[in-house]
Coordinates of all heavy atoms in Angstrom, one line a residue:
Chain B
L144 N -36.5 -89.3 110.3 CA -35.6 -89.9 109.4 C -35.9 -91.3 109.1 O -35.7 -91.8 107.9 CB -34.2 -89.7 109.9 CG -33.0 -90.2 109.0 CD1 -33.0 -89.5 107.6 CD2 -31.7 -90.0 109.7
Y145 N -36.2 -92.1 110.1 CA -36.4 -93.5 110.0 C -37.5 -93.8 109.0 O -37.4 -94.7 108.1 CB -36.7 -94.2 111.3 CG -36.7 -95.7 111.1 CD1 -35.5 -96.4 111.0 CD2 -37.9 -96.4 111.0 CE1 -35.5 -97.8 110.8 CE2 -37.9 -97.8 110.8 CZ -36.7 -98.5 110.8 OH -36.7 -99.8 110.5
R146 N -38.6 -93.0 109.1 CA -39.7 -93.3 108.1 C -39.3 -92.9 106.7 O -39.8 -93.6 105.7 CB -40.9 -92.5 108.6 CG -41.5 -93.1 109.8 CD -42.7 -92.4 110.3 NE -43.1 -93.0 111.6 CZ -44.3 -93.2 112.0 NH1 -45.3 -92.7 111.3 NH2 -44.5 -93.8 113.1
L147 N -38.5 -91.9 106.6 CA -38.0 -91.5 105.2 C -37.1 -92.7 104.7 O -37.2 -93.0 103.5 CB -37.2 -90.2 105.4 CG -37.2 -89.3 104.2 CD1 -38.6 -88.9 103.8 CD2 -36.3 -88.0 104.5
F148 N -36.3 -93.2 105.5 CA -35.5 -94.4 105.2 C -36.4 -95.5 104.7 O -36.1 -96.2 103.7 CB -34.6 -94.8 106.4 CG -34.0 -96.1 106.3 CD1 -33.0 -96.4 105.4 CD2 -34.5 -97.2 107.0 CE1 -32.4 -97.6 105.3 CE2 -33.9 -98.4 107.0 CZ -32.9 -98.7 106.1
L149 N -37.5 -95.8 105.4 CA -38.4 -96.8 105.1 C -39.0 -96.6 103.6 O -39.0 -97.6 102.8 CB -39.5 -96.8 106.1 CG -40.4 -98.0 106.2 CD1 -39.6 -99.3 106.5 CD2 -41.5 -97.8 107.2
I150 N -39.4 -95.4 103.3 CA -39.9 -95.1 102.0 C -38.8 -95.4 101.0 O -39.0 -96.0 99.9 CB -40.4 -93.6 101.9 CG1 -41.5 -93.4 102.9 CG2 -40.8 -93.3 100.5 CD1 -42.0 -91.9 103.0
G151 N -37.5 -94.9 101.3 CA -36.4 -95.1 100.4 C -36.1 -96.6 100.1 O -36.0 -97.0 98.9
I152 N -36.0 -97.3 101.2 CA -35.6 -98.7 101.0 C -36.7 -99.5 100.2 O -36.4 -100.4 99.4 CB -35.3 -99.4 102.3 CG1 -34.5 -100.7 102.1 CG2 -36.5 -99.7 103.2 CD1 -33.9 -101.3 103.3
T153 N -38.0 -99.1 100.5 CA -39.1 -99.8 99.7 C -39.0 -99.5 98.2 O -39.1 -100.3 97.4 CB -40.4 -99.4 100.3 OG1 -40.4 -99.7 101.7 CG2 -41.6 -100.1 99.6
T154 N -38.7 -98.2 97.9 CA -38.6 -97.8 96.5 C -37.5 -98.6 95.8 O -37.7 -99.1 94.8 CB -38.2 -96.3 96.5 OG1 -39.1 -95.5 97.3 CG2 -38.4 -95.7 95.1
V155 N -36.3 -98.7 96.5 CA -35.2 -99.4 95.9 C -35.6 -100.9 95.7 O -35.4 -101.4 94.6 CB -33.9 -99.3 96.8 CG1 -32.8 -100.2 96.3 CG2 -33.5 -97.8 96.8
L156 N -36.2 -101.5 96.7 CA -36.5 -102.9 96.6 C -37.5 -103.2 95.5 O -37.4 -104.1 94.8 CB -37.1 -103.3 98.0 CG -37.0 -104.8 98.2 CD1 -35.6 -105.2 98.6 CD2 -38.0 -105.3 99.1
V157 N -38.5 -102.3 95.4 CA -39.5 -102.5 94.4 C -38.9 -102.4 93.0 O -39.2 -103.1 92.1 CB -40.7 -101.5 94.6 CG1 -41.6 -101.5 93.3 CG2 -41.6 -101.9 95.8
M158 N -38.0 -101.4 92.9 CA -37.3 -101.3 91.6 C -36.5 -102.5 91.2 O -36.5 -102.9 90.1 CB -36.5 -100.0 91.6 CG -37.3 -98.7 91.3 SD -36.4 -97.2 91.6 CE -35.0 -97.3 90.5
V159 N -35.8 -103.0 92.2 CA -35.0 -104.2 92.0 C -35.9 -105.4 91.6 O -35.6 -106.1 90.6 CB -34.1 -104.5 93.3 CG1 -33.5 -105.9 93.1 CG2 -33.1 -103.5 93.5
L160 N -37.0 -105.5 92.3 CA -37.9 -106.6 92.0 C -38.5 -106.4 90.6 O -38.6 -107.4 89.8 CB -39.1 -106.6 93.0 CG -39.0 -107.6 94.1 CD1 -40.3 -107.4 95.0 CD2 -38.9 -109.0 93.6
W161 N -38.8 -105.2 90.3 CA -39.4 -104.9 88.9 C -38.3 -105.3 87.9 O -38.7 -106.0 86.9 CB -39.8 -103.5 88.8 CG -40.4 -103.1 87.5 CD1 -41.8 -103.3 87.2 CD2 -39.8 -102.6 86.3 NE1 -42.0 -103.0 85.9 CE2 -40.8 -102.5 85.4 CE3 -38.5 -102.2 86.0 CZ2 -40.5 -102.0 84.1 CZ3 -38.2 -101.8 84.8 CH2 -39.3 -101.7 83.8
L162 N -37.1 -104.9 88.1 CA -36.0 -105.2 87.1 C -35.9 -106.7 87.0 O -35.7 -107.3 85.9 CB -34.7 -104.5 87.5 CG -34.6 -103.0 87.2 CD1 -33.3 -102.5 87.8 CD2 -34.7 -102.7 85.7
F163 N -35.9 -107.4 88.1 CA -35.7 -108.8 88.2 C -36.8 -109.5 87.3 O -36.6 -110.4 86.5 CB -35.8 -109.3 89.6 CG -35.7 -110.8 89.8 CD1 -34.6 -111.5 89.5 CD2 -36.9 -111.5 90.2 CE1 -34.6 -112.9 89.6 CE2 -36.8 -112.9 90.4 CZ -35.7 -113.6 90.1
I164 N -38.1 -109.0 87.5 CA -39.2 -109.7 86.9 C -39.3 -109.3 85.4 O -39.6 -110.1 84.5 CB -40.5 -109.3 87.6 CG1 -40.5 -110.1 88.9 CG2 -41.7 -109.7 86.8 CD1 -41.7 -109.8 89.8
E165 N -39.0 -108.0 85.1 CA -39.1 -107.6 83.7 C -37.9 -107.9 82.8 O -38.0 -108.0 81.6 CB -39.4 -106.1 83.6 CG -40.8 -105.7 84.2 CD -42.0 -106.3 83.3 OE1 -41.8 -106.3 82.1 OE2 -43.0 -106.7 83.9
K166 N -36.7 -107.9 83.4 CA -35.5 -107.9 82.6 C -34.7 -109.2 82.6 O -33.7 -109.3 81.9 CB -34.6 -106.7 82.9 CG -35.3 -105.4 82.8 CD -35.5 -105.0 81.4 CE -36.4 -103.7 81.3 NZ -37.0 -103.5 80.0
T167 N -35.0 -110.1 83.5 CA -34.2 -111.3 83.6 C -34.9 -112.5 83.1 O -36.1 -112.5 82.9 CB -33.7 -111.6 85.0 OG1 -34.9 -112.0 85.8 CG2 -33.1 -110.4 85.7
S168 N -34.1 -113.6 82.8 CA -34.8 -114.8 82.3 C -35.7 -115.4 83.4 O -36.8 -115.9 83.1 CB -33.7 -115.9 82.0 OG -32.8 -115.4 81.0
Y169 N -35.2 -115.4 84.6 CA -36.1 -115.9 85.7 C -37.4 -115.1 85.7 O -38.5 -115.7 85.9 CB -35.4 -115.7 87.1 CG -34.7 -117.0 87.5 CD1 -33.3 -117.0 87.6 CD2 -35.4 -118.1 87.8 CE1 -32.7 -118.2 88.0 CE2 -34.8 -119.3 88.2 CZ -33.4 -119.3 88.3 OH -32.8 -120.4 88.7
G170 N -37.3 -113.8 85.6 CA -38.5 -112.9 85.5 C -39.4 -113.3 84.4 O -40.6 -113.4 84.6
L171 N -38.8 -113.6 83.2 CA -39.7 -114.0 82.1 C -40.4 -115.3 82.4 O -41.6 -115.4 82.2 CB -38.8 -114.3 80.9 CG -39.4 -114.7 79.6 CD1 -40.4 -113.7 79.1 CD2 -38.4 -115.1 78.5
V172 N -39.7 -116.2 83.1 CA -40.4 -117.5 83.5 C -41.5 -117.2 84.5 O -42.6 -117.8 84.5 CB -39.4 -118.5 84.0 CG1 -40.1 -119.8 84.5 CG2 -38.4 -118.9 82.9
I173 N -41.2 -116.3 85.4 CA -42.2 -115.9 86.4 C -43.4 -115.3 85.8 O -44.6 -115.7 86.1 CB -41.6 -114.9 87.5 CG1 -40.6 -115.6 88.3 CG2 -42.7 -114.3 88.3 CD1 -39.8 -114.7 89.3

Side-chain angles (χ1 to χ4, degrees):
Chain B
L144 178 60
Y145 187 77
R146 290 183 184 212
L147 213 56
F148 164 72
L149 196 60
I150 297 173
I152 198 171
T153 303
T154 312
V155 171
L156 200 83
V157 166
M158 277 166 61
V159 169
L160 260 182
W161 184 84
L162 285 174
F163 175 70
I164 289 175
E165 291 295 324
K166 304 288 171 199
T167 68
S168 302
Y169 264 113
L171 178 64
V172 177
I173 289 174

